[in-house]
Amino acid sequence: MAAVGTDSTSGYDRTEGIKEFDQSKYGVKGLIDSGIESIPRIFVQPPETLATLKPCQSQTNATDIPVIDLQNINSEPHRPKIVEQIKKAANEWGFFQVINHGIPGTVLEETIQAVKSFHEQPAESKAKYYSREEMKGMLYASNNDLYRSKAATWHDYLQVWTAPEEQRAKAEDIPEIVRKESVEWDVCAKKVAEDVMELLCEGIGLESSKFKDLSLSGSRMFVGAYYPYCPQPDLTLGLASHTDPVVITVLLQNQVAGLQVKHGQDWVDVKPLPGALTINIADLMQIISNGEYISVQHRVRANSCKEPRISVVEFLNIGKWQDCDYGPLPELVSPEKPPRYRRFTKDEFFHNFYSKGLDSKSFIDKLKL
Ligand code: OGA
Ligand code: NI
């Protein structure tokens, strides 16, 4: 019998391949810089995934994800209209872009540039941050699920915990090249997320401050991902298909496309729109809203452009991970609208996340009643 991870027909040892890549601390950026023209086998996706990369017939029917203008968010009669747009987008797509969100263009540009600069430092400068200790205040690595997934994907990432206080990276732990920018992005993205969460509350008849009162923005993480040019973009992905295991996600991308969202049977491209932010409903929001808002699968295609794709993400998690349990909000449950998901604990949530690759069955499916 073949050893774990060994393909007996060719003597290919996947476990060794992964370890070697991980221990080099070079990331995929390092592979490209070394001049490779074909991707190492650990990145080749299984045939069932590769089949989904081919355009399918119904793709032509898919429209673009909604774009919502937040300009007049605090004035009548605009606010109720914006609430309706957000509610519809969160209910039908789980994804939308927002414009006029209040973050200055210079902040967006500086944040993208800082993430790019971090990843483009010499490998030796980044290596000291390379880590698999997910709870560390700040780390850099390639593929968060490297040891759990069926195949690796073509990206590296930098991760900084920004809240709560006991978890967050101390300023001196954040590399200077992104220090100021990560702090600034966190403040700005949190504000946009809170504005949107108020609108989401109003959309389902809750007090505007309900999600804030639950301290849903009390635990946050900044992720700066780097998707370098991939010489064989039809054999791998930039990031595997997944739903986000948080409450809500705010994403800033540069002008290199790649992000795709599942809508019905289609994979729809999220077109980069200058100055826009992409927001998506994540698993915990679907659960607490009792399914009114949906957390949908998304993925990133491997980058076929010479220019790197950069994304900057702010994840909002549930702040007070006390020992209490979570589930659909009582206000949203009635005899006509029974709970769709059972309650769960913090331990169950973390156990689920760290026991599987990014693209496996979502946590929500396990809680369905
Ligand atoms: C994520 C994610 C998309 C991107 O980090 O969860 O979906 O464009 N990122 O990097
Ligand atoms: Ni995601």
Side-chain angles (χ1 to χ4, degrees), residues 95 239-240 242-245 249 251 259 280 298-299 313 315 358:
F95 255 83
L239 184 66
H242 65 283
T243 60
D244 291 351
T249 306
L251 176 138
L259 179 59
N280 69 281
H298 50 285
R299 68 181 185 188
V313 179
F315 289 118
L358 202 58

Side-chain angles (χ1 to χ4, degrees), residues 9-291:
T9 51
S10 61
Y12 163 66
D13 187 333
R14 177 170 172 76
T15 313
E16 265 315 301
I18 289 172
K19 258 202 216 151
E20 199 186 312
F21 170 66
D22 200 30
Q23 285 169 2
S24 77
K25 306 186 177 183
Y26 284 175
V28 286
K29 170 79 168 89
L31 291 176
I32 275 298
D33 289 347
S34 74
I36 56 151
E37 286 173 10
S38 59
I39 63 173
R41 194 151 164 190
I42 58 167
F43 292 93
V44 177
Q45 294 289 322
E48 59 275 19
T49 305
L50 296 178
T52 70
L53 295 177
K54 304 206 174 73
C56 63
Q57 205 102 65
S58 62
Q59 245 168 352
T60 49
N61 297 331
T63 47
D64 285 345
I65 70 161
V67 177
I68 299 172
D69 187 346
L70 299 182
Q71 177 88 57
N72 294 306
I73 191 183
N74 288 318
S75 69
E76 296 286 341
H78 302 283
R79 190 172 177 94
K81 287 192 191 138
I82 300 173
V83 167
E84 274 313 303
Q85 288 170 348
I86 294 250
K87 176 184 175 172
K88 191 165 162 32
N91 176 264
E92 293 173 5
W93 284 85
F95 255 83
F96 44 93
Q97 299 208 55
V98 293
I99 53 170
N100 294 315
H101 40 68
I103 307 185
T106 47
V107 171
L108 304 183
E109 277 157 32
E110 283 164 16
T111 313
I112 288 176
Q113 188 52 48
V115 167
K116 184 165 187 278
S117 303
F118 173 84
H119 287 284
E120 291 181 351
Q121 296 175 98
E124 308 74 61
S125 313
K126 289 185 288 183
K128 59 175 175 288
Y129 300 110
Y130 197 95
S131 171
R132 297 262 157 223
E133 282 173 58
E134 287 293 311
M135 293 297 161
K136 245 178 108 169
M138 138 83 207
L139 63 87
Y140 139 76
S142 185
N143 286 250
N144 154 295
D145 62 348
L146 186 66
Y147 290 94
R148 306 188 294 269
S149 62
K150 292 193 205 90
T153 56
W154 206 250
H155 76 277
D156 300 329
Y157 70 103
L158 122 90
Q159 169 180 311
V160 182
W161 280 97
T162 52
E165 185 57 33
E166 59 277 19
Q167 175 79 50
R168 78 175 174 85
K170 304 290 165 272
E172 60 274 20
D173 298 334
I174 307 175
E176 202 180 343
I177 206 162
V178 303
R179 190 178 297 156
K180 175 177 133 311
E181 293 81 2
S182 62
V183 172
E184 191 163 36
W185 164 254
D186 174 58
V187 171
C188 294
K190 171 178 180 261
K191 166 83 173 67
V192 174
E194 288 182 342
D195 286 349
V196 168
M197 286 204 290
E198 280 193 0
L199 300 166
L200 287 168
C201 280
E202 290 169 36
I204 45 178
L206 297 168
E207 288 286 326
S208 331
S209 62
K210 180 71 193 182
F211 292 159
K212 204 171 177 184
D213 297 345
L214 289 170
S215 87
L216 298 191
S217 52
S219 163
R220 299 185 306 280
M221 183 194 276
F222 159 101
V223 173
Y226 190 89
Y227 298 88
Y229 165 70
C230 177
Q232 294 178 298
D234 296 331
L235 291 184
T236 190
L237 279 163
L239 184 66
S241 166
H242 65 283
T243 60
D244 291 351
V246 294
V247 172
I248 195 168
T249 306
V250 180
L251 176 138
L252 163 67
Q253 54 179 338
N254 71 348
Q255 296 303 300
V256 179
L259 179 59
Q260 294 186 317
V261 173
K262 194 91 189 263
H263 187 60
Q265 292 309 305
D266 300 311
W267 281 105
V268 178
D269 294 321
V270 180
K271 302 204 177 83
L273 204 59
L277 298 173
T278 302
I279 297 192
N280 69 281
I281 302 298
D283 293 354
L284 302 176
M285 177 68 83
Q286 176 165 338
I287 296 165
I288 58 179
S289 73
N290 200 24

